[in-house]
Amino acid sequence: MIKFFKNFRKDEAGAVTVDWVVLTAAVAALAGVVYTSIESGASDLTSTTGAFIAGKTPT
């Protein structure tokens, strides 16, 4: 029984899965932060461009 616990403690097969889950969660959180910071600037730019084009007369 003690040998079983020693082998179980040394086994690191599941550690890689935990690392990937944490890494994926960090990337998803970073993508959310980037999206929220870019969203307002992109919508302002779209509104400004639309107003500029609407003010022009076709030739």
Side-chain angles (χ1 to χ4, degrees):
M1 189 68 153
I2 293 175
K3 184 178 178 183
F4 172 77
F5 285 120
K6 285 183 181 179
N7 288 337
F8 182 76
R9 189 177 56 171
K10 291 180 184 178
D11 187 20
E12 296 183 5
V16 175
T17 304
V18 173
D19 290 343
W20 275 106
V21 168
V22 170
L23 181 65
T24 304
V27 168
L30 182 61
V33 168
V34 169
Y35 174 75
T36 55
S37 67
I38 291 175
E39 180 202 9
S40 63
S43 20
D44 290 344
L45 179 63
T46 303
S47 299
T48 306
T49 304
F52 177 77
I53 291 173
K56 298 294 181 183
T57 57
T59 55

CSV table of all heavy atoms in Angstrom, one decimal:
chain,number,residue,atom,x,y,z
A,1,MET,N,0.8,-1.2,0.0
A,1,MET,CA,0.0,0.0,0.0
A,1,MET,C,0.9,1.3,0.0
A,1,MET,O,0.5,2.2,-0.7
A,1,MET,CB,-0.9,-0.1,1.2
A,1,MET,CG,-1.9,1.0,1.2
A,1,MET,SD,-3.1,0.7,-0.1
A,1,MET,CE,-4.5,1.4,0.5
A,2,ILE,N,2.0,1.2,0.7
A,2,ILE,CA,2.8,2.4,0.8
A,2,ILE,C,3.5,2.6,-0.6
A,2,ILE,O,3.7,3.8,-1.0
A,2,ILE,CB,3.9,2.2,1.9
A,2,ILE,CG1,3.2,2.2,3.2
A,2,ILE,CG2,5.0,3.3,1.8
A,2,ILE,CD1,4.1,1.9,4.4
A,3,LYS,N,3.8,1.5,-1.3
A,3,LYS,CA,4.4,1.6,-2.6
A,3,LYS,C,3.4,2.3,-3.6
A,3,LYS,O,3.8,3.1,-4.4
A,3,LYS,CB,4.8,0.2,-3.1
A,3,LYS,CG,5.5,0.3,-4.4
A,3,LYS,CD,5.9,-1.1,-4.9
A,3,LYS,CE,6.5,-1.1,-6.2
A,3,LYS,NZ,6.9,-2.4,-6.7
A,4,PHE,N,2.1,2.0,-3.4
A,4,PHE,CA,1.1,2.6,-4.3
A,4,PHE,C,1.0,4.1,-4.1
A,4,PHE,O,1.0,4.9,-5.0
A,4,PHE,CB,-0.3,2.0,-3.9
A,4,PHE,CG,-1.4,2.7,-4.6
A,4,PHE,CD1,-1.7,2.5,-6.0
A,4,PHE,CD2,-2.2,3.5,-3.9
A,4,PHE,CE1,-2.7,3.2,-6.6
A,4,PHE,CE2,-3.3,4.2,-4.5
A,4,PHE,CZ,-3.5,4.0,-5.9
A,5,PHE,N,1.1,4.6,-2.8
A,5,PHE,CA,1.0,6.0,-2.5
A,5,PHE,C,2.3,6.7,-3.0
A,5,PHE,O,2.2,7.8,-3.5
A,5,PHE,CB,0.9,6.2,-1.0
A,5,PHE,CG,-0.6,6.0,-0.6
A,5,PHE,CD1,-0.8,5.0,0.4
A,5,PHE,CD2,-1.6,6.7,-1.1
A,5,PHE,CE1,-2.1,4.8,0.8
A,5,PHE,CE2,-2.9,6.5,-0.7
A,5,PHE,CZ,-3.2,5.5,0.3
A,6,LYS,N,3.4,6.0,-2.9
A,6,LYS,CA,4.7,6.7,-3.4
A,6,LYS,C,4.6,6.8,-4.9
A,6,LYS,O,5.0,7.9,-5.5
A,6,LYS,CB,5.9,5.8,-3.0
A,6,LYS,CG,6.3,6.0,-1.6
A,6,LYS,CD,7.5,5.2,-1.3
A,6,LYS,CE,7.9,5.3,0.2
A,6,LYS,NZ,9.1,4.5,0.6
A,7,ASN,N,4.1,5.8,-5.6
A,7,ASN,CA,4.0,5.9,-7.1
A,7,ASN,C,3.0,6.9,-7.5
A,7,ASN,O,3.1,7.7,-8.5
A,7,ASN,CB,3.6,4.5,-7.7
A,7,ASN,CG,4.8,3.6,-7.7
A,7,ASN,OD1,5.9,4.0,-7.6
A,7,ASN,ND2,4.5,2.3,-7.7
A,8,PHE,N,1.9,7.0,-6.7
A,8,PHE,CA,0.8,8.0,-7.0
A,8,PHE,C,1.3,9.4,-6.8
A,8,PHE,O,1.0,10.3,-7.6
A,8,PHE,CB,-0.4,7.7,-6.1
A,8,PHE,CG,-1.5,8.7,-6.3
A,8,PHE,CD1,-2.4,8.5,-7.4
A,8,PHE,CD2,-1.8,9.7,-5.5
A,8,PHE,CE1,-3.4,9.3,-7.6
A,8,PHE,CE2,-2.8,10.6,-5.7
A,8,PHE,CZ,-3.7,10.4,-6.8
A,9,ARG,N,2.1,9.6,-5.8
A,9,ARG,CA,2.7,10.9,-5.6
A,9,ARG,C,3.7,11.4,-6.6
A,9,ARG,O,3.8,12.5,-7.0
A,9,ARG,CB,3.4,11.0,-4.2
A,9,ARG,CG,3.8,12.3,-3.7
A,9,ARG,CD,4.4,12.3,-2.4
A,9,ARG,NE,5.5,11.4,-2.4
A,9,ARG,CZ,6.3,11.2,-1.3
A,9,ARG,NH1,6.2,11.9,-0.3
A,9,ARG,NH2,7.3,10.4,-1.4
A,10,LYS,N,4.4,10.4,-7.2
A,10,LYS,CA,5.4,10.7,-8.2
A,10,LYS,C,4.8,10.9,-9.6
A,10,LYS,O,5.4,11.5,-10.5
A,10,LYS,CB,6.5,9.6,-8.3
A,10,LYS,CG,7.4,9.6,-7.1
A,10,LYS,CD,8.4,8.5,-7.2
A,10,LYS,CE,9.3,8.4,-6.0
A,10,LYS,NZ,10.2,7.2,-6.1
A,11,ASP,N,3.6,10.4,-9.8
A,11,ASP,CA,3.0,10.4,-11.2
A,11,ASP,C,2.6,11.9,-11.5
A,11,ASP,O,1.9,12.5,-10.7
A,11,ASP,CB,1.7,9.5,-11.2
A,11,ASP,CG,1.1,9.4,-12.5
A,11,ASP,OD1,1.9,9.7,-13.5
A,11,ASP,OD2,0.0,9.0,-12.6
A,12,GLU,N,3.0,12.4,-12.6
A,12,GLU,CA,2.7,13.8,-13.0
A,12,GLU,C,1.9,13.8,-14.3
A,12,GLU,O,2.0,14.8,-15.0
A,12,GLU,CB,4.0,14.5,-13.2
A,12,GLU,CG,4.8,14.7,-11.9
A,12,GLU,CD,6.0,15.5,-12.0
A,12,GLU,OE1,6.2,16.1,-13.1
A,12,GLU,OE2,6.8,15.7,-11.1
A,13,ALA,N,1.2,12.8,-14.7
A,13,ALA,CA,0.5,12.7,-15.9
A,13,ALA,C,-0.6,13.8,-16.0
A,13,ALA,O,-0.9,14.4,-17.0
A,13,ALA,CB,-0.1,11.3,-16.1
A,14,GLY,N,-1.3,14.1,-14.9
A,14,GLY,CA,-2.4,15.0,-14.9
A,14,GLY,C,-1.9,16.5,-14.8
A,14,GLY,O,-2.7,17.4,-15.1
A,15,ALA,N,-0.7,16.7,-14.4
A,15,ALA,CA,-0.2,18.0,-14.2
A,15,ALA,C,-0.2,18.8,-15.5
A,15,ALA,O,-0.4,20.0,-15.6
A,15,ALA,CB,1.2,18.0,-13.6
A,16,VAL,N,0.1,18.2,-16.7
A,16,VAL,CA,0.1,18.8,-18.0
A,16,VAL,C,-1.3,19.4,-18.3
A,16,VAL,O,-1.4,20.5,-18.8
A,16,VAL,CB,0.6,17.9,-19.0
A,16,VAL,CG1,0.6,18.5,-20.4
A,16,VAL,CG2,2.0,17.4,-18.7
A,17,THR,N,-2.3,18.6,-18.0
A,17,THR,CA,-3.7,19.0,-18.3
A,17,THR,C,-4.0,20.3,-17.5
A,17,THR,O,-4.6,21.2,-18.0
A,17,THR,CB,-4.6,17.9,-17.9
A,17,THR,OG1,-4.3,16.7,-18.7
A,17,THR,CG2,-6.1,18.3,-18.3
A,18,VAL,N,-3.6,20.3,-16.2
A,18,VAL,CA,-3.9,21.5,-15.4
A,18,VAL,C,-3.2,22.7,-15.9
A,18,VAL,O,-3.7,23.8,-16.0
A,18,VAL,CB,-3.5,21.2,-13.9
A,18,VAL,CG1,-3.6,22.4,-13.1
A,18,VAL,CG2,-4.3,20.1,-13.3
A,19,ASP,N,-1.9,22.5,-16.3
A,19,ASP,CA,-1.2,23.6,-16.9
A,19,ASP,C,-1.9,24.2,-18.1
A,19,ASP,O,-2.0,25.4,-18.3
A,19,ASP,CB,0.2,23.2,-17.3
A,19,ASP,CG,1.1,22.9,-16.1
A,19,ASP,OD1,0.7,23.3,-15.0
A,19,ASP,OD2,2.1,22.2,-16.3
A,20,TRP,N,-2.4,23.3,-19.0
A,20,TRP,CA,-3.0,23.8,-20.2
A,20,TRP,C,-4.4,24.5,-19.9
A,20,TRP,O,-4.7,25.5,-20.6
A,20,TRP,CB,-3.3,22.6,-21.2
A,20,TRP,CG,-2.1,22.4,-22.1
A,20,TRP,CD1,-1.2,21.3,-22.0
A,20,TRP,CD2,-1.6,23.2,-23.1
A,20,TRP,NE1,-0.2,21.5,-22.9
A,20,TRP,CE2,-0.5,22.6,-23.6
A,20,TRP,CE3,-2.1,24.4,-23.7
A,20,TRP,CZ2,0.3,23.1,-24.7
A,20,TRP,CZ3,-1.4,24.9,-24.8
A,20,TRP,CH2,-0.2,24.3,-25.2
A,21,VAL,N,-5.1,24.0,-18.9
A,21,VAL,CA,-6.3,24.7,-18.5
A,21,VAL,C,-6.1,26.1,-18.0
A,21,VAL,O,-6.7,27.0,-18.4
A,21,VAL,CB,-7.1,23.8,-17.5
A,21,VAL,CG1,-8.2,24.6,-16.9
A,21,VAL,CG2,-7.6,22.5,-18.1
A,22,VAL,N,-5.1,26.2,-17.2
A,22,VAL,CA,-4.7,27.5,-16.6
A,22,VAL,C,-4.2,28.4,-17.7
A,22,VAL,O,-4.6,29.6,-17.8
A,22,VAL,CB,-3.7,27.4,-15.5
A,22,VAL,CG1,-3.1,28.7,-15.1
A,22,VAL,CG2,-4.2,26.6,-14.3
A,23,LEU,N,-3.4,27.9,-18.6
A,23,LEU,CA,-2.9,28.7,-19.7
A,23,LEU,C,-4.0,29.2,-20.7
A,23,LEU,O,-4.1,30.4,-21.1
A,23,LEU,CB,-1.9,28.0,-20.5
A,23,LEU,CG,-1.2,28.7,-21.7
A,23,LEU,CD1,-0.4,29.8,-21.2
A,23,LEU,CD2,-0.3,27.7,-22.4
A,24,THR,N,-5.0,28.3,-21.0
A,24,THR,CA,-6.1,28.6,-21.8
A,24,THR,C,-7.0,29.7,-21.2
A,24,THR,O,-7.5,30.6,-21.8
A,24,THR,CB,-6.9,27.4,-22.2
A,24,THR,OG1,-6.0,26.4,-22.8
A,24,THR,CG2,-8.0,27.7,-23.1
A,25,ALA,N,-7.2,29.6,-19.9
A,25,ALA,CA,-8.0,30.5,-19.2
A,25,ALA,C,-7.4,31.9,-19.2
A,25,ALA,O,-8.0,32.9,-19.3
A,25,ALA,CB,-8.3,30.1,-17.7
A,26,ALA,N,-6.0,31.9,-19.0
A,26,ALA,CA,-5.3,33.2,-19.0
A,26,ALA,C,-5.4,33.9,-20.4
A,26,ALA,O,-5.6,35.1,-20.5
A,26,ALA,CB,-3.9,33.0,-18.6
A,27,VAL,N,-5.3,33.1,-21.5
A,27,VAL,CA,-5.4,33.6,-22.8
A,27,VAL,C,-6.8,34.2,-23.1
A,27,VAL,O,-6.9,35.2,-23.7
A,27,VAL,CB,-5.0,32.6,-23.9
A,27,VAL,CG1,-5.3,33.0,-25.3
A,27,VAL,CG2,-3.5,32.3,-23.7
A,28,ALA,N,-7.8,33.4,-22.6
A,28,ALA,CA,-9.2,33.9,-22.8
A,28,ALA,C,-9.4,35.2,-22.1
A,28,ALA,O,-10.1,36.1,-22.6
A,28,ALA,CB,-10.1,32.8,-22.4
A,29,ALA,N,-8.9,35.3,-20.9
A,29,ALA,CA,-9.1,36.5,-20.1
A,29,ALA,C,-8.4,37.7,-20.7
A,29,ALA,O,-8.9,38.8,-20.8
A,29,ALA,CB,-8.6,36.3,-18.7
A,30,LEU,N,-7.2,37.4,-21.2
A,30,LEU,CA,-6.5,38.5,-21.9
A,30,LEU,C,-7.2,39.0,-23.2
A,30,LEU,O,-7.2,40.2,-23.5
A,30,LEU,CB,-5.0,38.0,-22.2
A,30,LEU,CG,-4.1,39.0,-22.9
A,30,LEU,CD1,-3.9,40.2,-22.0
A,30,LEU,CD2,-2.8,38.4,-23.2
A,31,ALA,N,-7.7,38.0,-23.9
A,31,ALA,CA,-8.5,38.4,-25.1
A,31,ALA,C,-9.7,39.2,-24.7
A,31,ALA,O,-10.0,40.2,-25.5
A,31,ALA,CB,-8.9,37.1,-25.8
A,32,GLY,N,-10.4,38.9,-23.6
A,32,GLY,CA,-11.5,39.7,-23.2
A,32,GLY,C,-11.1,41.1,-22.8
A,32,GLY,O,-11.8,42.1,-23.2
A,33,VAL,N,-10.0,41.3,-22.2
A,33,VAL,CA,-9.5,42.6,-21.8
A,33,VAL,C,-9.1,43.4,-23.0
A,33,VAL,O,-9.4,44.6,-23.1
A,33,VAL,CB,-8.3,42.5,-20.8
A,33,VAL,CG1,-7.6,43.8,-20.6
A,33,VAL,CG2,-8.7,41.9,-19.5
A,34,VAL,N,-8.4,42.8,-24.0
A,34,VAL,CA,-8.1,43.5,-25.2
A,34,VAL,C,-9.3,43.9,-26.0
A,34,VAL,O,-9.4,45.0,-26.5
A,34,VAL,CB,-7.1,42.6,-26.1
A,34,VAL,CG1,-7.0,43.1,-27.4
A,34,VAL,CG2,-5.8,42.4,-25.4
A,35,TYR,N,-10.3,43.0,-26.1
A,35,TYR,CA,-11.5,43.4,-26.8
A,35,TYR,C,-12.2,44.6,-26.2
A,35,TYR,O,-12.7,45.5,-26.9
A,35,TYR,CB,-12.5,42.2,-26.8
A,35,TYR,CG,-13.8,42.5,-27.4
A,35,TYR,CD1,-14.0,42.6,-28.8
A,35,TYR,CD2,-14.9,42.7,-26.6
A,35,TYR,CE1,-15.2,43.0,-29.3
A,35,TYR,CE2,-16.1,43.0,-27.2
A,35,TYR,CZ,-16.3,43.1,-28.5
A,35,TYR,OH,-17.5,43.5,-29.1
A,36,THR,N,-12.3,44.6,-24.8
A,36,THR,CA,-13.0,45.7,-24.2
A,36,THR,C,-12.3,47.0,-24.4
A,36,THR,O,-12.9,48.1,-24.5
A,36,THR,CB,-13.3,45.5,-22.7
A,36,THR,OG1,-12.0,45.2,-22.1
A,36,THR,CG2,-14.2,44.3,-22.5
A,37,SER,N,-10.9,47.0,-24.4
A,37,SER,CA,-10.2,48.2,-24.6
A,37,SER,C,-10.2,48.7,-26.0
A,37,SER,O,-10.2,49.9,-26.3
A,37,SER,CB,-8.7,48.0,-24.1
A,37,SER,OG,-8.1,47.1,-25.0
A,38,ILE,N,-10.3,47.8,-27.0
A,38,ILE,CA,-10.3,48.2,-28.4
A,38,ILE,C,-11.7,48.6,-28.9
A,38,ILE,O,-11.9,49.4,-29.8
A,38,ILE,CB,-9.8,47.1,-29.3
A,38,ILE,CG1,-8.3,46.9,-29.0
A,38,ILE,CG2,-10.0,47.3,-30.7
A,38,ILE,CD1,-7.6,45.8,-29.7
A,39,GLU,N,-12.8,48.0,-28.3
A,39,GLU,CA,-14.1,48.2,-28.7
A,39,GLU,C,-14.6,49.6,-28.8
A,39,GLU,O,-15.2,50.1,-29.8
A,39,GLU,CB,-15.1,47.4,-27.8
A,39,GLU,CG,-16.5,47.5,-28.3
A,39,GLU,CD,-17.5,47.2,-27.2
A,39,GLU,OE1,-17.1,47.1,-26.0
A,39,GLU,OE2,-18.7,47.2,-27.5
A,40,SER,N,-14.3,50.4,-27.8
A,40,SER,CA,-14.8,51.8,-27.8
A,40,SER,C,-14.1,52.6,-28.8
A,40,SER,O,-14.7,53.4,-29.5
A,40,SER,CB,-14.6,52.4,-26.4
A,40,SER,OG,-13.2,52.5,-26.1
A,41,GLY,N,-12.8,52.4,-29.0
A,41,GLY,CA,-12.1,53.1,-30.0
A,41,GLY,C,-12.5,52.8,-31.4
A,41,GLY,O,-12.6,53.6,-32.3
A,42,ALA,N,-12.8,51.5,-31.6
A,42,ALA,CA,-13.3,51.0,-33.0
A,42,ALA,C,-14.7,51.6,-33.3
A,42,ALA,O,-15.0,52.0,-34.4
A,42,ALA,CB,-13.3,49.5,-33.0
A,43,SER,N,-15.6,51.7,-32.3
A,43,SER,CA,-16.9,52.2,-32.6
A,43,SER,C,-16.9,53.7,-32.8
A,43,SER,O,-17.6,54.3,-33.6
A,43,SER,CB,-17.9,51.9,-31.5
A,43,SER,OG,-17.5,51.5,-30.3
A,44,ASP,N,-16.0,54.4,-32.1
A,44,ASP,CA,-15.8,55.8,-32.3
A,44,ASP,C,-15.3,56.1,-33.7
A,44,ASP,O,-15.8,57.0,-34.4
A,44,ASP,CB,-14.8,56.5,-31.3
A,44,ASP,CG,-15.4,56.5,-29.9
A,44,ASP,OD1,-16.7,56.4,-29.7
A,44,ASP,OD2,-14.7,56.7,-28.9
A,45,LEU,N,-14.3,55.3,-34.1
A,45,LEU,CA,-13.8,55.5,-35.5
A,45,LEU,C,-14.8,55.2,-36.5
A,45,LEU,O,-14.9,55.9,-37.5
A,45,LEU,CB,-12.6,54.5,-35.7
A,45,LEU,CG,-11.9,54.6,-37.0
A,45,LEU,CD1,-11.3,55.9,-37.3
A,45,LEU,CD2,-10.8,53.5,-37.1
A,46,THR,N,-15.7,54.2,-36.3
A,46,THR,CA,-16.7,53.9,-37.3
A,46,THR,C,-17.7,55.0,-37.3
A,46,THR,O,-18.2,55.4,-38.4
A,46,THR,CB,-17.4,52.6,-36.8
A,46,THR,OG1,-16.5,51.5,-36.7
A,46,THR,CG2,-18.5,52.2,-37.8
A,47,SER,N,-18.1,55.6,-36.2
A,47,SER,CA,-19.1,56.7,-36.2
A,47,SER,C,-18.5,57.9,-36.9
A,47,SER,O,-19.2,58.6,-37.7
A,47,SER,CB,-19.4,57.1,-34.8
A,47,SER,OG,-20.0,56.0,-34.1
A,48,THR,N,-17.2,58.2,-36.6
A,48,THR,CA,-16.6,59.4,-37.3
A,48,THR,C,-16.5,59.2,-38.8
A,48,THR,O,-16.7,60.1,-39.5
A,48,THR,CB,-15.2,59.6,-36.7
A,48,THR,OG1,-15.3,59.7,-35.3
A,48,THR,CG2,-14.5,60.8,-37.2
A,49,THR,N,-16.1,58.0,-39.2
A,49,THR,CA,-16.0,57.7,-40.6
A,49,THR,C,-17.4,57.8,-41.3
A,49,THR,O,-17.5,58.3,-42.4
A,49,THR,CB,-15.4,56.3,-40.9
A,49,THR,OG1,-14.1,56.2,-40.2
A,49,THR,CG2,-15.2,56.0,-42.3
A,50,GLY,N,-18.4,57.3,-40.7
A,50,GLY,CA,-19.7,57.3,-41.2
A,50,GLY,C,-20.2,58.8,-41.4
A,50,GLY,O,-20.8,59.1,-42.4
A,51,ALA,N,-19.9,59.6,-40.4
A,51,ALA,CA,-20.3,61.0,-40.4
A,51,ALA,C,-19.6,61.7,-41.5
A,51,ALA,O,-20.1,62.6,-42.2
A,51,ALA,CB,-20.1,61.7,-39.1
A,52,PHE,N,-18.3,61.4,-41.7
A,52,PHE,CA,-17.5,62.0,-42.8
A,52,PHE,C,-18.1,61.7,-44.1
A,52,PHE,O,-18.2,62.5,-45.0
A,52,PHE,CB,-16.0,61.6,-42.6
A,52,PHE,CG,-15.2,62.1,-43.7
A,52,PHE,CD1,-14.7,63.4,-43.7
A,52,PHE,CD2,-14.8,61.3,-44.8
A,52,PHE,CE1,-13.9,63.9,-44.7
A,52,PHE,CE2,-14.0,61.8,-45.8
A,52,PHE,CZ,-13.5,63.1,-45.8
A,53,ILE,N,-18.4,60.4,-44.3
A,53,ILE,CA,-18.9,60.0,-45.6
A,53,ILE,C,-20.3,60.5,-45.9
A,53,ILE,O,-20.6,60.9,-47.0
A,53,ILE,CB,-18.9,58.4,-45.7
A,53,ILE,CG1,-17.4,57.9,-45.8
A,53,ILE,CG2,-19.6,57.9,-46.9
A,53,ILE,CD1,-17.3,56.4,-45.7
A,54,ALA,N,-21.1,60.6,-44.9
A,54,ALA,CA,-22.4,61.1,-45.0
A,54,ALA,C,-22.4,62.6,-45.4
A,54,ALA,O,-23.3,63.1,-46.1
A,54,ALA,CB,-23.3,60.9,-43.7
A,55,GLY,N,-21.4,63.3,-45.0
A,55,GLY,CA,-21.3,64.8,-45.3
A,55,GLY,C,-20.8,65.1,-46.7
A,55,GLY,O,-20.8,66.2,-47.2
A,56,LYS,N,-20.4,64.1,-47.4
A,56,LYS,CA,-19.9,64.3,-48.8
A,56,LYS,C,-21.0,64.1,-49.8
A,56,LYS,O,-21.9,63.3,-49.7
A,56,LYS,CB,-18.7,63.3,-49.1
A,56,LYS,CG,-17.5,63.4,-48.2
A,56,LYS,CD,-16.8,64.7,-48.5
A,56,LYS,CE,-15.6,64.9,-47.6
A,56,LYS,NZ,-15.0,66.1,-47.8
A,57,THR,N,-20.9,64.9,-50.9
A,57,THR,CA,-21.9,64.7,-52.0
A,57,THR,C,-21.2,63.9,-53.1
A,57,THR,O,-20.1,64.1,-53.4
A,57,THR,CB,-22.3,66.1,-52.5
A,57,THR,OG1,-21.2,66.8,-52.9
A,57,THR,CG2,-23.0,66.9,-51.4
A,58,PRO,N,-22.0,63.0,-53.7
A,58,PRO,CA,-21.4,62.2,-54.8
A,58,PRO,C,-21.2,63.1,-56.0
A,58,PRO,O,-21.9,64.0,-56.3
A,58,PRO,CB,-22.4,61.2,-55.1
A,58,PRO,CG,-23.6,61.5,-54.2
A,58,PRO,CD,-23.3,62.6,-53.3
A,59,THR,N,-20.1,62.9,-56.7
A,59,THR,CA,-19.8,63.6,-57.9
A,59,THR,C,-20.0,62.8,-59.2
A,59,THR,O,-20.0,61.7,-59.2
A,59,THR,CB,-18.4,64.2,-57.9
A,59,THR,OG1,-17.5,63.1,-57.8
A,59,THR,CG2,-18.2,65.2,-56.8
